[in-house]
Amino acid sequence: MGAVGLWSLVRFLHVTGAVLWVGGQLALTLVVLPLARRLLPAEARDRFAAGAGRRFGLLTGAVFLPLQLGTGWAMAWHKGVTWASLADPGYGRTLATKLGLFGLVMLAAAGHGLAHARGRTDLARALAVVSLAGSLGVVLLATALPAT
């Protein structure tokens, strides 16, 4: 595999990871959980939602997050990004904003899991919305970055 093929694969893995992460959030929010609320009794619904959330959280920690961090770092390195260049107008600032928002999304997602585990349903729901909206913002910012 040549250099062009390698970087195409790295970018493909990065985009695929983002698709699975954001798509998973959308699928849970718009399809799976509303159906569970409508079709399952309260106790089964709560167990199902907690189990689905735990599994998605495990996949996030074990697959999505390492994949995004590894491929994102590799693409930034390939593009010649430095800490100083993150302050540059255009690519640098857009990437810095994307990275900052990604960090906030991860904090909101972790907070959602903790709030849900502690029975703070309203806070958990609010943090889930923040995480989903922020994830869509990360994707929007990613579309503004040129291919590496």
Side-chain angles (χ1 to χ4, degrees), residues 2-140:
V4 172
L6 173 66
W7 291 110
S8 292
L9 176 61
V10 169
R11 187 170 184 80
F12 173 79
L13 291 172
H14 191 75
V15 170
T16 300
V19 165
L20 290 171
W21 162 252
V22 178
Q25 289 180 78
L26 287 168
L28 283 170
T29 301
L30 300 175
V31 177
V32 175
L33 295 178
L35 272 174
R37 279 187 207 100
R38 199 169 57 233
L39 299 175
L40 298 174
E43 184 181 313
R45 178 186 61 230
D46 292 344
R47 275 195 334 265
F48 176 80
R54 254 191 316 279
R55 185 161 182 98
F56 194 72
L58 286 171
L59 284 171
T60 296
V63 178
F64 301 146
L65 191 55
L67 180 67
Q68 293 312 104
L69 294 174
T71 57
W73 175 85
M75 289 188 304
W77 172 81
H78 179 67
K79 179 98 174 138
V81 173
T82 64
W83 289 110
S85 70
L86 292 174
D88 293 344
Y91 187 92
R93 287 187 191 159
T94 301
L95 180 58
T97 304
K98 178 188 170 207
L99 293 171
L101 185 55
F102 180 75
L104 292 174
V105 164
M106 291 296 107
L107 289 173
H112 164 76
L114 290 172
H116 191 278
R118 294 186 175 145
R120 301 198 52 203
T121 309
D122 290 340
L123 178 59
R125 185 166 291 154
L127 289 170
V129 170
V130 167
S131 179
L132 179 56
S135 294
L136 293 171
V138 169
V139 171
L140 178 65

